[in-house]
Every structure is written in structure tokens, then in C-alpha cells.
Amino acid sequence: MKDEEIITLTKCDNTIVADEIVAKLADKGIIASLHDELNDPAYGAYGPNPGIAVRVFKKDYEQSQHILKGISDSRSELLPFCPHCGSEKIRVLEKSVRKRPILAILLGIVMIILGSSGLVLPIFLESLGSMRVYALIISPFVLLGGVLLVLPQGSHQYYLCTECGKKFKK
């Protein structure tokens, strides 16, 4: 009869996560039940962190833990969580777009012009034949540097943890 003992696998903050866990367990043939401790008349009877308990038979506990770990890993890739305190209570802040200074963009444009002319002019003008070394070695790097200066910088999505108040990016 010890195999028929029901134990708590995990506690969830909301029914969406709890239902997802029960559905994944059911897909693997594991029977699970939910117990909403938040609606229990004896508040605090289950410890300081009440929530929705997902319960399984003791014989299925180890297999259920592996399934739960897979669910947690996939959720953590999709949903941000605070790297400081581990909370999932996150608020999305405005996306920040970093802009390059005008001087950097102008320098990039000049470098693109110099790099392009260094590649093209020696082909058409024989008097610039001595510039072939410049054309073959230096011009591509000048051109690449100019393009990199003109391209916009990446943007970052920032989040704010409502538990500890720290700002972070994912």
C-alpha cells in the first residue's frame, strides 16, 4: 500500500503552470491531482508558501521529477525569471535601442567612400598602380570598418523584478 501513497511533487503559483504539469504527466501515463491550498479554509496549514500543489503517487515520483525538470527548463528558456532572486514576477520594460553618435556615423560614411575608392580606382587608373597593395590589403578592412560604424547597434529588452526590484536583461 505504500506505492498508493500520494505525495506532493511541486507547488505552483498559478493554475496555468499547474495544469501544464498535470497535462504533461498525463501524456506519460502518470496520474496527478491538484490541490489548491490558496482556497483551503485553514490558510497556512501547508507551510509559509501556499499554492497549487501537484500531487502524484509515490511510485511515479521519480519519473514525475524528470518530467517536471523538462517543463521547468523549457519554461525558463521562454519566460524570463530574475537571475538575482529567481522570481517569475517580472515586468517588461521598454526596449532600449542604442544609437550611434553622429560623428561615428559620419566617420563610417567616410570610411566606406575611402574603402570603395581604394578597391575601384586602381582598376581604372593606371597611374594609381602603386596603390594596388592598398587596394588589396587595406581597402577591404577600411570598407568593413565603415559599414560596421554605419549599421545600427543592437537593442536590448530589459526586465524589472517586482520581488527584489532589480533591473536585468535576458
Side-chain angles (χ1 to χ4, degrees):
M1 284 288 186
K2 284 205 175 222
D3 287 341
E4 299 302 317
E5 183 181 345
I6 296 175
I7 57 175
T8 300
L9 175 66
T10 187
K11 289 184 183 178
C12 304
D13 290 336
N14 60 54
T15 57
I16 295 170
V17 176
D19 288 337
E20 178 184 359
I21 292 169
V22 169
K24 297 276 183 169
L25 292 171
D27 287 345
K28 300 292 183 180
I30 298 173
I31 298 171
S33 65
L34 296 178
H35 178 74
D36 190 352
E37 296 172 355
L38 297 173
N39 291 329
D40 201 309
Y43 184 77
Y46 297 98
N49 298 323
I52 301 164
V54 178
R55 295 178 171 177
V56 296
F57 288 113
K58 190 172 186 174
K59 65 180 173 115
D60 297 325
Y61 184 74
E62 284 193 32
Q63 185 181 3
S64 300
Q65 281 185 320
H66 292 294
I67 295 168
L68 180 63
K69 182 174 179 355
I71 294 169
S72 298
D73 291 346
S74 67
R75 286 187 73 78
S76 67
E77 287 177 10
L78 298 174
L79 299 174
F81 62 92
C82 179
H84 304 286
C85 69
S87 173
E88 292 180 356
K89 296 178 181 174
I90 302 298
R91 196 176 84 205
V92 178
L93 300 175
E94 280 188 35
K95 200 171 200 176
S96 71
V97 179
R98 297 184 312 188
K99 296 181 180 176
R100 292 197 190 273
I102 297 293
L103 188 60
I105 294 172
L106 291 175
L107 178 64
I109 292 170
V110 169
M111 289 174 71
I112 289 173
I113 293 168
L114 288 175
S116 300
S117 64
L119 289 173
V120 175
L121 284 179
I123 296 170
F124 295 110
L125 301 173
E126 285 185 29
S127 63
L128 297 176
S130 62
M131 288 185 58
R132 289 194 195 279
V133 173
Y134 169 77
L136 294 175
I137 297 173
I138 300 172
S139 285
F141 292 107
V142 172
L143 182 63
L144 178 64
V147 169
L148 291 176
L149 280 174
V150 172
L151 289 176
Q153 288 181 315
S155 61
H156 296 287
Q157 181 67 59
Y158 285 94
Y159 301 91
L160 179 69
C161 176
T162 57
E163 291 287 317
C164 66
K166 297 202 177 179
K167 183 179 171 183
F168 63 95
K169 67 180 180 180
K170 185 174 180 193

